[in-house]
């Protein structure tokens, strides 16, 4: 019989019930110690769940491979289980809680026979902060435990906190048979519960991340008056030591992680900026006692996409993942280091691909398609403390004050490089009309526009109409709300080539954004918002033809009027629940575009 290292009756009862359902051979508590972590790593090497990488070149690093049909979040198997379907909204798959529990229970039943059930007490946010939320994940996967140890604060400190406060999110995970036909990712926001079964892929099973910190947290945020957002947080320090923080939301594949840790471009170096990375994926924001918006990153690690990460796109991350990192589904090189498409250095002459098969460049599959060495969604899990730009305020209980909120997407011809909303309500509209075009890396027709308000469409744990209403309401409560901007790094010319260099150069745009926040420069009013006076963007050291700059800020009214049709169709999904304010903003934008 397991000894429970807690007096929390609610916790003990819940674990007892779940052990009865899943029937593990034993129960092991994760204490957060280095010794226990080492032991689990050893066990994974024996079982084959992990492969040890070259200790000299990649100290403390491991490789893991998932099943080939278990490599990404399975949105069609992800559900919000609320009593009323309306409360999940048109943005979510819905199942009634009764049906959800019943369907998943059948898969969980006896699923841990012959296995160990690990109990992971974890805190999203610094342990003991008012901002933070505690979860407990029960899992039969050592890989999950080792990843959670990187991504969240886990172990005895959290358990002690649970003795004082017995609110926690009940997270149950089992690999079960890793069968896609018996896979379900269920959220029960009204019960503060997550059940995930049949998957071993990070986004589905590291339940502190998307499931708790976005879907459940957004629901809690609505109830308790705060925001859980799919946003990076970064600080920009001036030579006088003053740091301004921004939060930014982008859909997948728009460079959120790269922006969070950018290196100032050569031309701006004399200005002496320093970038501080607070987080790359999730931001929890609250109105603090000073009436402004403060944010924490609830995580302690990065679960980033490997392909395309290199010394040009993200030199900071290249350094970050050089130690104590778990790689998933990348290519294994003969020297036991790793590689992925778009990595630094030459393409290796041979290796073992993400499926564990021999690989060489130019290899074709049975349909004559190139075989990738690393899966397109291969990942690294790495601690934020490895990151050379990690903020010194990561553990501060109140987080950082946010001066600007930035929304962005990938639009080849529509959206200017940057524009500023007229006010908070218009800014919420700017977030609500966010969209991105599909790239070759995603399934679907190239160039198709996907609407992704605030980059939260797959992650908002309740009806998005209510979410927009919540954003509007919070704006009214702040003494000094952050200004809201939209950026688009991805404008192209007629041949489809990007006309803005992006990466570190994006700091030039952040500089304008902060100048606006500090009333240092005027904006130029257009129908969609304020754009910069071109002379207010510092282009020192960057050769960009004046015509290109013009193109980057072009606002084509007929294209925008066409865009409004797509926005209208999208808004209509929410029927009468959509806040009237957003329809009003829609009408006003329409009128401004027609008027000029
Ligand atoms: C992620 C995502 O994995 O947004 O962070 O898909
Ligand atoms: Mn994300």
């Amino acid at each position: 019989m397991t000894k429970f290292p807690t007096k929390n009756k609610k916790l003990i009862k819940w674990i007892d019930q779940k052990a009865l359902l899943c029937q593990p051979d034993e129960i092991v508590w994760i204490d957060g110690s280095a010794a226990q972590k080492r032991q689990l790593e050893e066990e994974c090497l024996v079982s084959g769940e992990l492969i040890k990488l070259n200790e000299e070149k990649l100290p403390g690093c491991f490789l893991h491979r998932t099943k080939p049909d278990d490599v990404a979040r399975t949105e069609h198997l992800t559900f919000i289980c609320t009593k009323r379907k309306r409360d999940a909204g048109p943005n979510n798959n819905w199942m009634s809680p009764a049906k959800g529990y019943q369907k998943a229970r059948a898969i969980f039943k006896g699923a841990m026979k012959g296995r160990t059930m690990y109990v992971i007490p974890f805190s999203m946010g610094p342990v003991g902060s008012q901002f933070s939320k505690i979860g407990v994940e029960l899992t039969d996967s050592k890989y999950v435990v080792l990843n959670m140890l990187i991504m969240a604060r886990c172990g005895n400190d959290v358990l002690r906190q649970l003795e004082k406060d017995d609110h926690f999110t009940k997270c149950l995970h089992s690999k079960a048979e890793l069968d896609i036909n018996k896979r379900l990712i269920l959220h029960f926001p009204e019960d503060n519960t997550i059940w995930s079964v049949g998957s071993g892929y990070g986004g589905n099973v590291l339940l502190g991340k998307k499931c708790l910190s976005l879907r459940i947290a957004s629901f809690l945020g609505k109830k308790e008056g705060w925001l859980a957002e799919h946003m990076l947080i970064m600080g920009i320090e001036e030579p006088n030591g003053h740091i301004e923080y921004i939060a930014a939301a982008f859909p997948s594949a728009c460079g959120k992680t790269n922006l969070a840790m950018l290196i100032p471009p050569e031309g701006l170096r004399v200005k002496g900026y320093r970038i501080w990375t607070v987080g790359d994926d999730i931001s929890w924001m609250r109105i603090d006692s000073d009436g402004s918006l403060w944010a924490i990153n609830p995580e302690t690690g990065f679960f980033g996409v490997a392909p395309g990460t290199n010394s040009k796109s993200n030199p900071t991350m290249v350094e970050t993942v050089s130690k104590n990192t778990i790689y998933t589904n990348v290519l294994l090189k003969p020297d036991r280091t790793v590689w992925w498409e778009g990595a630094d250095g030459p393409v290796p002459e041979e290796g073992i691909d993400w499926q564990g098969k021999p690989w060489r460049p130019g290899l074709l599959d049975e349909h004559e398609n190139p075989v990738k060495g690393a899966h397109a969604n291969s990942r690294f899990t790495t601690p934020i403390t490895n990151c050379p730009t990690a903020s010194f305020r990561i553990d501060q209980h109140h987080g950082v004050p946010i001066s600007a909120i930035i929304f962005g997407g990938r639009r080849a011809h529509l959206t200017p490089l940057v524009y500023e909303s007229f006010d908070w309500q218009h800014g919420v509209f700017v977030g609500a009309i966010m969209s991105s075009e599909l790239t070759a890396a995603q399934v679907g027709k190239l160039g198709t526009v996907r609407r992704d308000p605030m980059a939260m469409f797959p992650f908002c744990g309740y009806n998005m109409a209510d979410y927009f209403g919540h954003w509007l309401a919070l704006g009214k409560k702040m003494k000094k709300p952050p200004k809201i901007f939209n950026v688009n790094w991805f404008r192209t010319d007629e041949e489809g080539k990007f006309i803005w260099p992006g990466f570190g150069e994006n700091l030039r745009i952040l500089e304008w954004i902060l100048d606006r926040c500090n009333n240092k420069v005027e904006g130029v009013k257009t129908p969609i918002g304020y754009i910069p006076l071109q002379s207010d963007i510092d282009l020192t050291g960057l050769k960009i033809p004046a015509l290109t700059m013009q193109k980057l800020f072009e606002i084509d009214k007929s294209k925008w009027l066409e865009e409004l049709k797509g926005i209208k169709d999208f808004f209509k999904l929410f029927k009468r629940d959509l806040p009237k304010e957003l329809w009003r903003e829609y009408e006003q934008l329409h009128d401004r575009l027609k008027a000029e």
Side-chain angles (χ1 to χ4, degrees), residues 55-333:
E55 186 58 24
E56 245 164 59
K57 295 181 180 166
L58 291 170
C61 293
F62 298 92
L63 168 65
H64 171 79
R65 298 191 187 110
T66 65
K67 275 186 69 180
D69 67 356
D70 193 20
V71 290
R73 286 184 288 103
T74 35
E75 285 176 18
H76 67 293
L77 301 173
T78 301
F79 290 82
I80 298 295
C81 305
T82 44
K83 288 193 198 86
R84 298 192 307 168
K85 184 172 183 192
R86 184 251 162 242
D87 293 340
N91 46 302
N92 282 302
N93 300 316
W94 175 82
M95 217 187 268
S96 73
K99 188 162 170 215
Y101 284 128
Q102 183 212 342
K103 281 185 87 141
R105 198 174 282 120
I107 312 173
F108 274 115
K109 195 158 180 238
M112 296 189 190
K113 273 188 193 152
R115 300 179 186 169
T116 299
M117 175 193 266
Y118 297 97
V119 181
I120 318 170
F122 64 94
S123 175
M124 300 314 297
V127 179
S129 157
Q130 290 173 20
F131 275 80
S132 302
K133 293 286 175 197
I134 288 181
V136 180
E137 178 161 354
L138 308 180
T139 180
D140 55 4
S141 162
K142 296 183 182 51
Y143 170 78
V144 166
V145 175
L146 291 170
N147 276 270
M148 284 293 286
L149 287 170
I150 296 175
M151 296 304 294
R153 296 154 175 95
C154 302
N156 288 347
D157 291 354
V158 182
L159 206 53
R160 269 193 296 277
Q161 185 65 23
L162 261 179
E163 302 293 329
K164 295 183 219 152
D165 172 6
D166 72 356
H167 287 91
F168 65 96
T169 305
K170 303 183 279 296
C171 307
L172 176 62
H173 166 252
S174 172
K175 297 183 282 187
E177 294 163 55
L178 289 176
D179 177 352
I180 191 160
N181 298 310
K182 292 185 194 163
R183 182 175 301 161
L184 285 170
I185 322 297
L186 306 180
H187 305 73
F188 305 89
E190 290 148 352
D191 299 341
N192 202 1
T193 292
I194 303 162
W195 281 18
S196 164
V197 68
S199 173
Y201 170 73
N204 292 333
V205 302
L206 307 179
L207 299 184
K209 192 172 179 62
K210 302 296 186 185
C211 300
L212 194 161
S213 289
L214 289 177
R215 298 197 190 95
I216 294 290
S218 60
F219 174 90
L220 294 174
K222 166 84 168 73
K223 209 164 75 174
E224 299 166 3
W226 54 282
L227 290 167
E229 297 300 325
H230 192 197
M231 291 181 180
L232 67 86
I233 310 166
M234 67 193 283
I236 298 157
E237 180 174 346
E238 292 179 61
N240 65 8
H242 178 69
I243 308 180
E244 299 257 358
Y245 293 90
I246 60 170
F250 298 87
S252 302
C254 289
K256 202 146 108 281
T257 304
N258 298 347
L259 185 66
M261 47 193 77
L262 70 75
I263 304 279
E266 202 50 55
L268 293 193
R269 217 139 286 156
V270 287
K271 289 189 167 167
Y273 287 117
R274 182 161 180 186
I275 301 301
W276 295 101
T277 307
V278 183
D280 81 324
D281 196 40
I282 297 174
S283 169
W284 285 0
M285 304 195 287
R286 274 173 204 261
I287 305 172
D288 216 324
S289 48
D290 64 351
S292 53
L293 200 61
W294 286 63
I296 62 159
N297 165 19
E299 302 187 285
T300 53
F302 307 120
F303 180 64
V305 178
T309 305
N310 57 49
S311 301
K312 175 163 189 285
S313 64
N314 196 337
T316 315
M317 189 58 97
V318 169
E319 195 175 331
T320 304
V321 298
S322 63
K323 59 180 183 199
N324 304 331
T325 296
I326 300 174
Y327 292 93
T328 301
N329 293 339
V330 297
L331 178 114
L332 178 65
K333 296 207 301 192

Side-chain angles (χ1 to χ4, degrees), residues 409-476:
R410 185 183 277 272
R411 296 302 302 261
H413 303 293
L414 185 80
T415 324
L417 183 54
V418 59
Y419 70 98
E420 179 192 335
S421 63
F422 297 120
D423 52 31
W424 181 268
Q425 178 175 302
H426 178 231
V428 174
F429 174 77
V430 168
I433 66 169
M434 247 174 85
S435 60
S436 209
E437 283 152 19
L438 295 186
T439 65
Q442 289 152 313
V443 184
K445 198 165 146 266
L446 225 68
T448 308
V449 173
R450 181 186 281 175
R451 308 229 74 91
D452 190 359
M454 279 86 164
M456 278 291 278
F457 201 71
F459 305 117
C460 181
Y462 63 105
N463 191 324
M464 254 195 149
D466 299 341
Y467 167 84
F468 296 139
H470 182 45
W471 264 81
L472 291 167
L474 280 187
K476 296 201 180 95

